[in-house]
Amino acid sequence: MNKGLLIVISGFSGAGKSVITKKLLREYEHYAYSVSATTRNPRAGEVDGKDYFFITKEEFERKIENGELLEHNNYVGNYYGTLKSYVEDKLAEGKDVILEIDVNGGRQVKASYPDTISIFVTAPNASEQSQRLRGRGTESEDVIRARLTKVIDEIPTALTYDYIVVNDDLEKTTERINRIIQDQHLRSCNQKAFLEEFEKDIKTILDK
Ligand code: ADP
Ligand code: 5GP
């Protein structure tokens, strides 16, 4: 069995990463979601262990010291990080593991795992971007402004991503992203285990 692929999905705050990721997980069986750890407070409806592991700053810093994180970052005042063991277990099971993380985390992951597929999501234009963030109604005005300001800082890194996908229509965007990921399975570098198995079976046939 070929190993699963590591996928980073980043994007401007409010671009739709979270709804796209949820849709991918609901509609296709081959994905696993990497549940991150964070020190931010849960939003209404968010579940500990499902959306994030909500932990204290002290617990987070202990995880950094113990080398338990594949990457981590401080985003607008809170820590966020990816749990290494969870991701490695899911890849070994053949799942394509989605990391919905910010551009700093994305950069760290790509440096450690160069085969990572990185996808950057944006709204179709700036006013829609701002409207989606406000429309979600989960952040204070100060946090919204901080997140919109961050868009400007994120643009240079967005340009280093493998793909930039404009999330106009949610249905179409989700399908497009699924297709991008599944096409990567056809690359020869991702077919090694398949061809090794093939070779073994041919030898068995020849030995009969
Ligand atoms: P992110 O995870 O990137 O911060 P969310 O997934 O929380 O963003 O989406 C932000 C808001 O935009 C949500 O209210 C979501 O329902 C809405 N949204 C996402 N994609 C679309 C789309 N294609 N068209 C209209 N609204 C969208
Ligand atoms: P939010 O507070 O909106 O859930 O997330 C804020 C930002 O942190 C988003 O850009 C999100 O993708 C990012 N994020 C979520 N989990 C992680 C993580 O594990 N690592 C990093 N580097 N960023 C993360």
Side-chain angles (χ1 to χ4, degrees):
M1 183 178 64
N2 291 326
K3 259 184 75 176
L5 303 173
L6 197 55
I7 299 128
V8 165
I9 299 187
S10 301
F12 303 133
S13 187
K17 302 178 290 292
S18 171
V19 287
I20 291 168
T21 303
K22 288 199 173 88
K23 219 166 143 48
L24 284 171
L25 288 157
R26 214 173 33 240
E27 292 181 6
Y28 306 96
E29 278 181 357
H30 42 257
Y31 294 116
Y33 179 65
S34 159
V35 180
S36 295
T38 184
T39 58
R40 88 150 159 73
N41 292 325
R43 291 181 187 133
E46 283 184 333
V47 178
D48 187 38
K50 185 164 169 274
D51 297 288
Y52 282 107
F53 293 104
F54 295 99
I55 62 175
T56 63
K57 189 163 172 273
E58 290 69 32
E59 286 172 307
F60 199 102
E61 286 170 350
R62 212 169 312 125
K63 286 194 187 300
I64 299 175
E65 272 170 36
N66 294 341
E68 292 174 48
L69 301 178
L70 198 148
E71 60 74 39
H72 67 278
N73 190 39
N74 192 307
Y75 179 92
V76 195
N78 282 299
Y79 277 130
Y80 294 81
T82 304
L83 299 161
K84 198 186 284 179
S85 60
Y86 181 88
V87 169
E88 287 176 350
D89 289 352
K90 292 291 173 191
L91 289 174
E93 284 172 26
K95 293 278 187 191
D96 294 336
V97 183
I98 303 181
L99 273 55
E100 189 204 313
I101 62 178
D102 81 323
V103 291
N104 278 304
R107 201 188 302 124
Q108 291 174 53
V109 173
K110 193 83 174 174
S112 316
Y113 299 81
D115 294 340
T116 303
I117 306 156
S118 56
I119 301 171
F120 193 90
V121 181
T122 79
N125 55 60
S127 97
E128 174 71 16
Q129 183 71 49
S130 157
Q131 256 168 355
R132 283 188 193 169
L133 186 52
R134 279 174 212 284
R136 192 168 66 190
T138 51
E139 263 81 28
S140 66
E141 187 55 33
D142 280 357
V143 173
I144 289 173
R145 284 199 71 82
R147 287 181 175 228
L148 285 176
T149 307
K150 193 135 182 88
V151 164
I152 297 164
D153 300 341
E154 289 180 341
I155 288 173
T157 318
L159 288 166
T160 70
Y161 272 57
D162 297 324
Y163 298 89
I164 296 181
V165 176
V166 175
N167 173 22
D168 36 19
D169 175 83
L170 181 59
E171 195 74 39
K172 288 200 186 114
T173 306
T174 309
E175 275 175 30
R176 198 174 295 137
I177 291 180
N178 178 55
R179 201 169 334 112
I180 289 172
I181 298 166
Q182 294 317 308
D183 281 355
Q184 306 295 318
H185 279 287
L186 305 178
R187 299 186 65 200
S188 53
C189 58
N190 294 324
Q191 304 267 27
K192 200 159 170 266
F194 169 70
L195 284 186
E196 279 169 1
E197 186 74 20
F198 206 98
E199 183 185 7
K200 207 175 89 216
D201 292 347
I202 291 280
K203 283 181 179 160
T204 310
I205 290 170
L206 289 173
D207 286 347
K208 272 185 191 160

